[in-house]
Amino acid sequence: MLHVVWYKRDLRIHDHRPLQEAWREKEPILPLYVAEPSIWQGSELSIRHFQFVQESLEDLKGAFEKLGGSLFVTIGEMESVLHTIYESVGPFTLHAHEENGTPLTYERDKRVRQWMKVRGLLFHEYQHCGVVRGERSEELFKKDWKEFIGMPVLNAPDSIWTIDQENLPSTISTNMDALSRFKIGGSRIKYGQQGGEGLAHETLESFLDERFTRYKEELANPLASTNTCSRISPYLAWGNISMRQVVKRTKEALEQCDRSDDRKQLKAFNSKLEEHCRSIQWIEDHPSSVYTSGNPTFDQSREVWQEGFERWSKGETGLPMIDAAMRALIKTGWLNNRLRAMLLSFACHTLRMNWKEPADYLAGLFVDYEPGIHYKQVHSVVSPESIKRGRLYDPVKEGKKYDPEGRFVRQYVPELKHVPDSYIHEPWKYDGFFHLEYYGPIVDVGRANRNVKARIAEVENKGEGSEKKKAVKEEDEQIVFDLFTE
Ligand SMILES: Cc1cc2nc3c(=O)[nH]c(=O)nc-3n(C[C@H](O)[C@H](O)[C@H](O)COP(=O)(O)OP(=O)(O)OC[C@H]3O[C@@H](n4cnc5c(N)ncnc54)[C@H](O)[C@@H]3O)c2cc1C
């Protein structure tokens, strides 16, 4: 019987349980990637994600060929692809990792399960990154995660027997170019990280060998963090490397460390890895968070503001740190954690835009887009439970603290190249501002943020007198007026 290995966000050959289990059967395998329009088109996914997937598939194709087999690709909805396989080769068994993503992928998996069940075919799904289907308490998650991560890393098969092309319908092909017909929105990336299992391991090794030594200190530094952070995120998000492999190599590196500072850096990195999986468990428990706000109280004071969104999304707000961060993201597909939070906070708190459009726009730009991490972080920024927990940023202060000489700003906002350091984060105060080809600030950040704080305080002290609420509302209206007349 044929064993179909369904590749999704797990584009690798090592430590790949579905492939291992299929291989153990000693029967022909069909390793298959399906580009599904209902998952990719009209969602937050974009062409730069698909670009990364295509690069990963090219790499995977090479790996299969080395083992004497082939990788197959096609475009279509999963159930109809399974139908064409069934019609040409008869019964088969399906193997795949569970995908812990958005309601779209969850529903698709349910439909596939049903399709297989109705025909009496076996569908084996395997746990991915230590996350368990269904709600999980923190203690249970920790226990399961440790157990899962502690299991041995699976080697790649030493040779592979894949089905011959002539036994399959012509729509399922070994030619990766077939995927270039698949049309998705968004912007391609020219200077970002590229997909592939080899590159994933190179990136991890270069981090564990030398780049990690200033991991903690430079986490928020816009330029240095591009090198001192691990940059493993897109490889984890698209499964070019497994979480178990990353944790295992980090532990080995920790054991070889004799300097206590080096150990601290690696421990900080290691704790982020666990957080990665915890976030994916979180979306498994809260799938609706992709569409609904964690704290709807704030939604009432937010609105659609098309002009504001246009300026924010192109990096034309006149706030140098916001514009540099957005332009860097458009160009490279990556930002450090703090810059990501600052961009979102600016859109949803300072400019009071509805959270969903900015959040999905950012998801489309982050090459490492991982729904669980992304929406958990989004809600922690846009739906704070209290002022203390809120993440409200002042981009001028951020710039002065993390980019004091304006090196990051000058790199991505060349209009400000010749502005003196002392004005680089507030160019509108510079007396040569009107000779610059740059935008006036879209908002008075100080005032707008004071209002946000008042609004959050209001939420915290809900039952308080209406006088305070009225004052906040009036000041809000004043700011909106300023925004539109800027
Ligand atoms: C609004 C917002 C959206 C984000 N969206 C994503 C996303 O879609 N995909 C994504 O991988 N990260 C996301 N992050 C978290 C973080 O910014 C990135 O993981 C990090 O910048 C990736 O770079 P790195 O691999 O060099 O990270 P490192 O600092 O080297 O961390 C190593 C790994 O730990 C995990 N990690 C790091 N920070 C976090 C975190 N806060 N929560 C959970 N896991 C974490 C990631 O897998 C990361 O690759 C988001 C953060 C914010 C504020």
Side-chain angles (χ1 to χ4, degrees), residues 207 211 215 219 225 228-234 236-237 243 269 271-277 279 334-342 344 362-363 366 368-371 373-378 380-381 391:
F207 176 71
R211 290 191 292 113
Y215 176 71
L219 265 178
S225 59
T228 58
C229 276
S230 70
R231 307 300 306 275
I232 201 68
S233 54
L236 282 171
M243 183 52 88
F269 169 68
S271 71
K272 296 278 179 102
L273 300 175
E274 187 172 334
E275 192 52 36
H276 172 114
C277 304
S279 304
W334 187 86
L335 286 178
N336 70 36
N337 193 80
R338 197 169 180 100
L339 290 174
R340 294 181 197 216
M342 179 191 75
L344 192 69
L362 290 178
F366 296 146
D368 59 22
Y369 168 54
E370 174 64 65
I373 305 181
H374 188 69
Y375 289 103
K376 186 165 189 242
Q377 289 295 315
V378 164
S380 84
V381 173
R391 286 154 84 184

Side-chain angles (χ1 to χ4, degrees), residues 226-264:
T226 60
N227 188 48
T228 58
C229 276
S230 70
R231 307 300 306 275
I232 201 68
S233 54
Y235 301 110
L236 282 171
W238 298 101
N240 290 170
I241 195 165
S242 74
M243 183 52 88
R244 188 184 287 129
Q245 288 173 297
V246 179
V247 172
K248 184 169 179 275
R249 279 294 299 123
T250 307
K251 271 196 177 149
E252 286 166 4
L254 253 167
E255 277 158 20
Q256 283 158 14
C257 253
D258 2 288
R259 290 187 56 233
S260 84
D261 188 60
D262 285 355
R263 293 180 64 78
K264 277 186 200 150

Side-chain angles (χ1 to χ4, degrees), residues 1 5 59 62 79 105 112 121 132 142 219 250 288 324 366 433 462 471:
M1 166 142 25
V5 176
D59 184 75
E79 302 102 292
T105 55
V112 168
L121 303 177
V132 178
K142 252 186 162 336
L219 265 178
T250 307
S288 62
F366 296 146
F433 178 68
K462 258 186 213 123

Side-chain angles (χ1 to χ4, degrees), residues 382-480:
V382 303
S383 321
E385 283 160 24
S386 72
I387 287 185
K388 278 184 218 116
R389 286 168 157 245
R391 286 154 84 184
L392 176 64
Y393 297 86
D394 179 333
V396 175
K397 288 186 186 154
E398 290 293 301
K400 288 180 179 171
K401 185 164 179 193
Y402 296 107
D403 187 35
E405 293 154 14
R407 285 178 51 228
F408 175 63
V409 162
R410 286 193 182 83
Q411 180 161 332
Y412 289 101
V413 188
E415 303 97 296
L416 301 179
K417 219 178 201 159
H418 303 295
V419 171
D421 289 2
S422 50
Y423 293 105
I424 192 74
H425 296 294
E426 296 170 291
W428 57 90
K429 292 185 177 170
Y430 171 48
D431 56 14
F433 178 68
F434 293 99
H435 300 294
L436 302 173
E437 302 259 314
Y438 189 56
Y439 307 87
I442 192 169
V443 68
D444 176 338
V445 176
R447 281 183 54 210
N449 281 359
R450 274 196 298 283
N451 250 4
V452 176
K453 282 185 196 154
R455 262 203 311 278
I456 298 175
E458 189 189 325
V459 172
E460 274 182 289
N461 310 316
K462 258 186 213 123
E464 250 189 46
S466 56
E467 278 310 299
K468 188 175 160 194
K469 287 184 188 165
K470 192 164 166 269
V472 170
K473 193 161 183 293
E474 276 167 8
E475 212 190 327
D476 273 358
E477 277 157 11
Q478 180 60 38
I479 284 198
V480 172

Side-chain angles (χ1 to χ4, degrees), residues 142-370:
K142 252 186 162 336
K143 185 179 153 286
D144 290 342
W145 188 76
K146 278 203 172 129
E147 219 169 87
F148 177 87
I149 292 294
M151 275 150 61
V153 167
L154 300 169
N155 290 326
D158 43 23
S159 70
I160 209 135
W161 171 22
T162 54
I163 186 170
D164 287 336
Q165 169 91 66
E166 58 259 33
N167 297 329
L168 288 169
S170 60
T171 46
I172 299 183
S173 162
T174 54
N175 182 359
M176 300 293 127
D177 292 345
L179 294 180
S180 50
R181 282 187 292 112
F182 196 49
K183 298 283 173 262
I184 313 155
S187 58
R188 283 189 168 271
I189 219 163
K190 222 171 168 181
Y191 306 101
Q193 290 175 275
Q194 292 184 6
E197 199 168 350
L199 286 172
H201 287 273
E202 254 177 49
T203 304
L204 179 65
E205 291 308 320
S206 74
F207 176 71
L208 296 176
D209 273 358
E210 51 185 355
R211 290 191 292 113
F212 74 94
T213 53
R214 289 189 58 77
Y215 176 71
K216 281 170 65 185
E217 289 76 7
E218 308 290 8
L219 265 178
N221 183 323
L223 285 177
S225 59
T226 60
N227 188 48
T228 58
C229 276
S230 70
R231 307 300 306 275
I232 201 68
S233 54
Y235 301 110
L236 282 171
W238 298 101
N240 290 170
I241 195 165
S242 74
M243 183 52 88
R244 188 184 287 129
Q245 288 173 297
V246 179
V247 172
K248 184 169 179 275
R249 279 294 299 123
T250 307
K251 271 196 177 149
E252 286 166 4
L254 253 167
E255 277 158 20
Q256 283 158 14
C257 253
D258 2 288
R259 290 187 56 233
S260 84
D261 188 60
D262 285 355
R263 293 180 64 78
K264 277 186 200 150
Q265 308 284 351
L266 287 179
K267 279 186 178 165
F269 169 68
N270 198 41
S271 71
K272 296 278 179 102
L273 300 175
E274 187 172 334
E275 192 52 36
H276 172 114
C277 304
R278 184 175 287 110
S279 304
I280 298 179
Q281 182 70 57
W282 175 86
I283 204 163
E284 187 62 37
D285 304 348
H286 305 90
S288 62
S289 58
V290 173
Y291 305 117
T292 52
S293 164
N295 189 345
T297 332
F298 290 100
D299 296 346
Q300 294 153 22
S301 63
R302 293 186 173 129
E303 53 214 354
V304 175
W305 182 27
Q306 206 47 43
E307 189 204 330
F309 180 78
E310 292 291 319
R311 285 183 63 179
W312 172 81
S313 62
K314 291 182 186 151
E316 297 176 353
T317 65
L319 272 306
M321 274 303 272
I322 297 292
D323 294 347
M326 186 58 89
R327 294 181 197 186
L329 176 58
I330 291 170
K331 192 168 180 181
T332 70
W334 187 86
L335 286 178
N336 70 36
N337 193 80
R338 197 169 180 100
L339 290 174
R340 294 181 197 216
M342 179 191 75
L343 279 183
L344 192 69
S345 161
F346 187 73
C348 303
H349 288 314
T350 312
L351 297 185
R352 283 182 27 196
M353 282 188 248
N354 286 345
W355 67 272
K356 180 72 177 148
E357 200 181 2
D360 287 0
Y361 178 73
L362 290 178
L365 291 177
F366 296 146
V367 175
D368 59 22
Y369 168 54
E370 174 64 65

